[in-house]
Amino acid sequence: MEEIISLMQPFYSSEDIKKIIEKLTEYIKELPRYTKDLEDTDWYKSSNIYFIYPDAIQTEENFPLENIKFFLPHIKELGCDAVHLLPFFQSPMRDKGFDISNYYLVRENLGGMEKLMEVKEKAESLGMHIFIDLVLNHVSKDHEWFKKAENGEEFYRDFFIYTKETPQYVGEVIKKSRIYAEYLVEGEKKLVSIAFPELSGAIPHWVQGKDWYWYYHTYYPHQLDVNWKNVNVFIEFAKILLFWSSRGFNFRFDAVPFVGKGAYKILDEHDPFTHAIVAAFKSLSQLVYPNSTFILEVNEHITSDIRYFGTTKTKQAELLYNFQLCALLWVSLIEEDASYIWGKLKQEEKIPLHAQWINFLRNHDEISFAGIKKELLEKIHKKLFPLGLPFRKGYGLSGRTLSLLQKNENKLFMSYFLLASLPGCMLFPYGDEFGKENIPAENLPLEDQQDTRNINRGTLDANLMFSIKGKRINSEIAKILRVRQTYKKYFHSLFEEISVDKTIFAAKYKSEDTEICIFINLSNKKQQITYDCSSYKEIAHINSVICSNTQINLEAYSGIWLKKHIE
């Protein structure tokens, strides 16, 4: 507990620190300690992580979590060694489970705690790791804390950020590909990023409760931000963390930059309190699960993002999503230009030794183009947006990968071959291995049509999974992911750019005695490369490639991995 004291002393009073230690020490005594050994403690550095909603597979015979359990061997066979299971907690389900009303209960319609633990046991038997979501920034309005606050209990009202006076909202402002609300606060103008501008309410960030107080929210009006300045909030969430850590789960933390802030949080603003909370939670989790691994959702400026890894001495997280690279991957795909990828990769090399990036073409939300330069955003709108639906008023794009690639399977294989060729971890969306496409918006229930992200959600259909198309795509994607698993150690080693035409992504990875070269044609035209391949052996390719001693001929959207032994 000494590290917790050191981290939190600058932010809480001595009485508060004493309360933290007493409450959590007593709580930890009641919990089991999860001590399963890992042969490879750096497993996460080049992991293939598969994400899926807990209700993504529906059958009449089983609870959805049972279906997930039976689906795990497929995920393993696909070439993934970890699963991010999206929120399964008790929830009114107005935000796909991210609006949590009880952090200790698994939704009964999913199968409850019993079926969740069966999922975890099955994953462990397959040598797989499970990440679960922990939402620290907000709770559902159906949470007991907020119900008590609205009923006038001052103790619980202080769990939230609130004001008696009506906030002074000036209007909406667009700046650097983000949408902001402008407020007048004590005579000073403040700009605050609006997460969901289409769905933020009459006064963005504020909603009036039944008690006539105004409560702050970063996301939906029915998701109220909690007040981390209140030590009781820290203690209650620490107990939640310890409860699930003691059962051997790893964590994905949602919306981390907003945790610990007050109202009107500024993006990219360094907040030592937020970092202290995350580092304290890392230390706490390891008290009951020494190998607990954290993923943080952070999408700010690259220098701000890197801070969330912490340091070698004070870790905060092992893994961060690479949102900036995701956006530039899509720019590279539509522009057929690898230089956008290299420009970002060269910014990301200096991270702590324990840390790694998660690369992805899509996560469970929209593709964010926040921060993209205006001229690039115009190209994205012209070439990519007709294939999906806008989110955040056009600064984000909803859609399934295959749909956004014009339903071109060869381009899908190339895109995942490219992703698999990048240093770091790889995130894979459920259904992409079967070629799942956008759900037509008009087919969604009326209440789901406002949130365009719902077109890239939905369930896995057996007709698709077992179709000729589904089997064909699954087979090719599995080849890519499995070969990456075979050579995974290279993807957290030294790498360098090979100078070729900009339409080709070309990289070299080196270990002590081996070198791997990668060439991928991003264009729809045949490309020829002059390169000495005489001492190399092919280990993987997609689409059509011909390799001789001195030349590599890459057909449209094709790629190759070559390996040689270094004397």
Side-chain angles (χ1 to χ4, degrees), residues 524-540:
N524 63 357
K525 295 180 177 64
K526 181 178 179 178
Q527 303 290 343
Q528 188 177 82
I529 305 165
T530 300
Y531 199 80
D532 182 5
C533 305
S534 56
S535 56
Y536 287 88
K537 177 184 177 183
E538 179 190 321
I539 54 176

Side-chain angles (χ1 to χ4, degrees), residues 327-561:
L328 291 171
L329 275 168
W330 283 100
V331 173
S332 290
L333 291 173
I334 65 172
E335 290 292 287
E336 300 181 349
D337 185 346
S339 63
Y340 296 103
I341 300 170
W342 283 108
K344 181 52 63 177
L345 287 177
K346 289 170 183 178
Q347 287 184 311
E348 297 169 355
E349 294 175 3
K350 295 182 179 179
I351 58 175
L353 286 175
H354 71 271
Q356 190 56 283
W357 297 103
I358 299 177
N359 303 319
F360 56 100
L361 292 169
R362 278 199 319 103
N363 65 1
H364 62 279
D365 286 322
E366 84 288 0
I367 300 168
S368 173
F369 294 107
I372 290 288
K373 292 179 180 178
K374 184 179 178 181
E375 58 271 21
L376 284 182
L377 192 60
E378 288 174 353
K379 292 179 180 180
I380 292 165
H381 272 261
K382 182 179 178 180
K383 296 182 180 181
L384 203 56
F385 271 65
L387 304 169
L389 287 177
F391 191 70
R392 300 181 200 262
K393 294 191 176 180
Y395 294 100
L397 175 65
S398 301
R400 276 270 171 184
T401 313
L402 184 59
S403 295
L404 297 178
L405 293 171
Q406 299 172 300
K407 303 182 183 180
N408 185 322
E409 291 181 19
N410 283 345
K411 197 169 184 180
L412 178 76
F413 303 146
M414 179 274 288
S415 299
Y416 273 115
F417 199 67
L418 173 63
L419 192 68
S421 302
L422 301 178
C425 289
M426 181 174 172
L427 184 69
F428 194 87
Y430 78 104
D432 268 19
E433 74 272 34
F434 303 115
K436 187 171 172 62
E437 298 175 15
N438 295 347
I439 301 170
E442 61 271 18
N443 291 357
L444 293 168
L446 199 58
E447 62 272 18
D448 288 345
Q449 292 182 20
Q450 283 185 304
D451 188 336
T452 63
R453 295 175 299 173
N454 287 317
I455 71 168
N456 49 248
R457 293 168 172 168
T459 58
L460 284 178
D461 184 86
N463 292 330
L464 172 63
M465 290 190 281
F466 297 109
S467 68
I468 294 172
K469 169 190 170 182
K471 289 178 180 179
R472 179 177 63 248
I473 293 176
N474 181 69
S475 175
E476 291 302 311
I477 294 292
K479 288 177 187 176
I480 294 167
L481 297 186
R482 288 202 294 261
V483 77
R484 190 179 195 276
Q485 282 282 53
T486 302
Y487 294 96
K488 64 182 181 180
K489 69 176 183 178
Y490 295 96
F491 296 100
H492 54 91
S493 61
L494 294 173
F495 69 98
E496 62 185 72
E497 181 180 6
I498 299 173
S499 181
V500 290
D501 186 85
K502 68 177 184 178
T503 61
I504 297 166
F505 176 84
K508 183 185 294 184
Y509 289 86
K510 290 181 179 179
S511 67
E512 292 179 0
D513 60 354
T514 310
E515 181 177 287
I516 290 180
C517 287
I518 294 169
F519 300 92
I520 303 170
N521 182 5
L522 307 187
S523 77
N524 63 357
K525 295 180 177 64
K526 181 178 179 178
Q527 303 290 343
Q528 188 177 82
I529 305 165
T530 300
Y531 199 80
D532 182 5
C533 305
S534 56
S535 56
Y536 287 88
K537 177 184 177 183
E538 179 190 321
I539 54 176
H541 78 272
I542 43 104
N543 301 326
S544 181
V545 182
I546 299 173
C547 186
S548 67
N549 285 340
T550 58
Q551 280 189 343
I552 303 169
N553 291 299
L554 297 166
E555 295 292 339
Y557 307 132
S558 65
I560 190 168
W561 288 5

Side-chain angles (χ1 to χ4, degrees), residues 14-272:
S14 55
E15 282 300 310
D16 284 344
I17 296 294
K18 183 180 178 183
K19 188 175 181 180
I20 289 171
I21 301 308
E22 286 178 355
K23 294 279 188 183
L24 297 185
T25 300
E26 193 64 28
Y27 187 68
I28 288 171
K29 288 178 184 177
E30 303 170 5
L31 297 173
R33 193 167 185 268
Y34 192 81
T35 56
K36 184 176 180 179
D37 291 330
L38 294 178
E39 291 182 11
D40 179 11
T41 55
D42 284 341
W43 65 269
Y44 58 87
K45 286 190 175 180
S46 51
S47 180
N48 294 337
I49 305 170
Y50 188 99
F51 74 77
I52 189 167
Y53 285 97
D55 57 356
I57 308 175
Q58 301 279 351
T59 63
E60 293 181 4
E61 298 83 10
N62 304 311
F63 285 109
L65 284 171
E66 286 183 288
N67 292 328
I68 296 290
K69 179 181 72 173
F70 299 138
F71 195 63
L72 286 173
H74 157 77
I75 298 173
K76 176 75 173 180
E77 183 68 16
L78 184 67
C80 294
D81 55 359
V83 177
H84 167 206
L85 192 58
L86 285 145
F88 49 71
F89 302 107
Q90 184 172 291
S91 164
M93 296 300 292
R94 297 180 66 189
D95 185 24
K96 293 296 288 183
F98 284 94
D99 48 334
I100 298 169
S101 56
N102 191 312
Y103 287 79
Y104 295 99
L105 297 180
V106 179
R107 299 200 298 277
E108 287 300 321
N109 65 336
L110 297 175
M113 179 67 86
E114 178 187 352
K115 300 305 177 187
L116 174 68
M117 295 311 294
E118 287 180 11
V119 170
K120 184 173 181 298
E121 288 163 14
K122 181 65 176 179
E124 286 181 352
S125 74
L126 295 169
M128 301 172 74
H129 305 266
I130 298 283
F131 288 92
I132 65 173
D133 266 286
L134 195 53
V135 182
L136 303 178
N137 178 66
H138 53 264
V139 299
S140 165
K141 72 171 188 177
D142 289 358
H143 197 288
E144 180 187 25
W145 300 341
F146 189 65
K147 287 181 177 180
K148 289 183 175 181
E150 278 194 309
N151 286 335
E153 294 189 39
E154 292 289 343
F155 179 81
Y156 285 102
R157 184 177 290 135
D158 198 38
F159 272 49
F160 300 93
I161 301 165
Y162 66 91
T163 179
K164 189 69 173 175
E165 303 300 322
T166 304
Q168 291 184 271
Y169 173 54
V170 178
E172 193 173 280
V173 175
I174 296 174
K175 184 179 178 183
K176 293 184 179 179
S177 301
R178 292 186 189 270
I179 300 172
Y180 295 84
E182 184 177 327
Y183 296 93
L184 198 60
V185 183
E186 296 179 354
E188 181 184 347
K189 287 184 178 179
K190 288 188 178 289
L191 289 180
V192 186
S193 176
I194 307 175
F196 302 150
E198 299 94 339
L199 306 160
S200 59
I203 301 181
H205 302 100
W206 292 98
V207 64
Q208 196 167 33
K210 294 176 184 176
D211 55 358
W212 300 105
Y213 281 85
W214 289 89
Y215 291 88
Y216 192 84
H217 63 91
T218 299
Y219 294 96
Y220 288 111
H222 56 79
Q223 294 168 321
L224 295 314
D225 286 21
V226 292
N227 173 24
W228 282 85
K229 299 295 191 294
N230 180 348
V231 72
N232 295 303
V233 169
F234 181 95
I235 291 168
E236 290 304 319
F237 273 108
K239 286 180 177 179
I240 293 163
L241 173 86
L242 289 163
F243 176 86
W244 292 103
S245 295
S246 70
R247 284 154 176 81
F249 287 100
N250 303 296
F251 296 96
R252 173 201 176 268
F253 291 97
D254 184 65
V256 171
F258 300 98
V259 174
K261 54 119 181 73
Y264 309 116
K265 197 270 184 186
I266 300 171
L267 287 172
D268 300 318
E269 182 182 60
H270 178 54
D271 190 338

